[in-house]
Amino acid sequence: MTSSNEKRLAGEAAIAYVEDDSVVGVGTGSTVAFFIDALADIKDRIRGAVSSSEQSTEQLKKHGIEVLDLNAVGPLDLYVDGADECDPHKRLIKGGGAALTREKIVAAASRQFVCIIDSSKQVDVLGNFPLPIEVIPMARSHVARQISKLDGHPVWRDDTVTDNGNWILDVHGWRITDPVALEAELNQIAGVVSVGLFARRGADVVLVGDRKL
Ligand code: 5RP
């Protein structure tokens, strides 16, 4: 099966977790785009969605799904999002689409995180996918130097400004055997807005195509 078909199946399978009259947290990316399309079919059963990016907001609104402010409706029952890598403990690398900060906020504010992926995202150890880190622009070089001290190789994604007006460093070369510890350490660096490691708050359910882990 193609990766696109697996993404569509995962997006559609996540609809089973949506409860009537709820507000759904919605992530970002090509897998989530399938989820949003499927959500449109049941839009009369939900109150609306909290979006993690301008991209998802646009698609939700195009389908006539109301986009709500997290401050007004949180905490949420459900957050659905994709990932760039997923390990056997349901810990994730996210941020390939540069939406990691809002994704992390909505995930943290949700009781259940259903992660939807195709099988190419499954890994034994995180780190083959370069780890995205959102930084305050003036701190880019400082953060990069601290990462180099930790034997990471940061590359500035210089064509990207996040929805929050910040920049992204993609860190190559790490084999992340203790993602909880690395997430905590990176969060301490001044100028880091958020880290694309979702380890402390990983996924609760992972759907690989329509297969549940
Ligand atoms: C965006 C993300 C996405 O969930 C991640 O990049 C996966 O994207 P896709 O579903 O297109 O493979 O973290 O910031």
Side-chain angles (χ1 to χ4, degrees):
M1 192 185 297
T2 65
S3 115
S4 176
N5 272 339
E6 282 189 320
K7 289 180 179 194
R8 182 178 50 76
L9 284 178
E12 291 171 358
I15 292 294
Y17 294 83
V18 178
E19 290 185 8
D20 286 357
D21 206 32
S22 64
V23 176
V24 184
V26 174
T28 300
S30 56
T31 317
V32 166
F34 287 114
F35 173 69
I36 296 174
D37 285 345
L39 197 60
D41 293 338
I42 61 155
K43 68 178 178 192
D44 295 335
R45 283 176 35 201
I46 61 169
R47 277 162 50 214
V50 168
S51 173
S52 63
S53 64
E54 301 301 329
Q55 181 188 317
S56 292
T57 296
E58 191 181 322
Q59 191 187 354
L60 287 159
K61 286 185 172 167
K62 218 179 266 172
H63 280 305
I65 298 170
E66 191 171 358
V67 177
L68 300 160
D69 176 1
L70 181 64
N71 291 308
V73 296
L76 307 178
D77 285 328
L78 175 67
Y79 179 58
V80 177
D81 198 358
D84 299 300
E85 280 187 350
C86 175
D87 81 4
H89 304 283
K90 304 188 178 75
R91 303 176 299 201
L92 314 169
I93 285 182
K94 291 187 45 54
L100 61 160
T101 298
R102 295 189 191 184
E103 292 174 339
K104 216 165 202 186
I105 293 166
V106 188
S110 300
R111 277 183 274 275
Q112 189 177 39
F113 177 1
V114 174
C115 182
I116 51 178
I117 56 172
D118 65 89
S119 47
S120 71
K121 309 290 182 61
Q122 290 182 282
V123 297
D124 288 330
V125 177
L126 299 171
N128 205 27
F129 189 92
L131 177 66
I133 299 182
E134 181 165 350
V135 299
I136 298 288
M138 73 170 286
R140 173 177 61 86
S141 299
H142 168 71
V143 174
R145 282 191 293 273
Q146 305 314 304
I147 287 168
S148 298
K149 287 182 196 165
L150 299 170
D151 294 328
H153 306 291
V155 176
W156 177 24
R157 209 186 292 179
D158 60 3
D159 60 352
T160 300
V161 176
T162 71
D163 287 348
N164 313 304
N166 297 318
W167 291 348
I168 300 283
L169 292 172
D170 292 307
V171 185
H172 297 247
W174 272 335
R175 188 171 183 274
I176 305 172
T177 51
D178 189 347
V180 174
L182 184 63
E183 183 179 8
E185 185 166 11
L186 295 172
N187 276 328
Q188 297 306 316
I189 301 173
V192 167
V193 176
S194 65
V195 177
L197 270 175
F198 286 53
R200 190 153 181 264
R201 201 279 181 261
D204 300 301
V205 172
V206 176
L207 298 172
V208 186
D210 56 3
R211 192 165 46 90
K212 178 185 167 186
L213 300 188

